[in-house]
Structure formats: structure tokens, C-alpha cells
Amino acid sequence: MLLYNPERLLFARERRGLTKKALAEAAGLDSKTIGVYENQNSNSAPTQSSLEKLAAALGYPLHFFQKDDAPELINEAVSFLAATKLTKKNENAAIRA
């Protein structure tokens, strides 16, 4: 089985500000498949070919998805000048920067 960390896929997708649908389209995969790959309770890991497509679409090296969980920032530790106008998508992308 391919060594794979689903938290890294979620991290990379949110960092790039992509929806599951947008990532699926960029990688040539189904959006439901992205959800399965991001689900930490699932034993479904992408094939080597799918992981290569995801890595290319996200602009991350293949080995990025095989590492331990990325360190998390505490949301309360981050402040924004105009937080009321910040979308959740942009907030996630900034926090994961």
C-alpha cells in the first residue's frame, strides 16, 4: 500500500484555495474521490497515478503527501485587519500559509 497522509491533501487543497470540485477538475479526478482521499477514517489511499495528478495540480512534491501531519496554527492566534470581510476559504488559505 502507498504511504499516504490524507491530512496533507486537505492542507494542500485549502492552502491553494481550491474546492474539492476545482481540484478534481484540475487533476482529472471525480470530486467524490477527493472527498474519499481526504477522509481520515477511510482506508482508501490514492493510487500512485492519482497521487501524482493531485501533486501536480496542487504544485506540491509527491513526498509532501507522505509526511506526518502538518503543524496546525491555533485560529485564535491569527488576526486579520478586516476579518469580517474574509471568506472562510481565504482564511483557511492564509492560516495554512
Side-chain angles (χ1 to χ4, degrees), residues 10-53:
L10 176 63
F11 178 95
R13 181 177 63 77
E14 287 184 345
R15 176 63 190 105
R16 296 297 188 233
L18 296 174
T19 62
K20 290 176 188 174
K21 182 179 178 181
L23 175 57
E25 289 173 0
L29 300 170
D30 186 82
S31 60
K32 290 180 182 179
T33 302
I34 303 300
V36 170
Y37 291 162
E38 287 183 355
N39 185 349
Q40 294 186 6
N41 297 323
S42 171
N43 289 329
S44 297
T47 63
Q48 181 75 25
S49 173
S50 292
L51 192 56
E52 288 171 358
K53 290 176 184 178

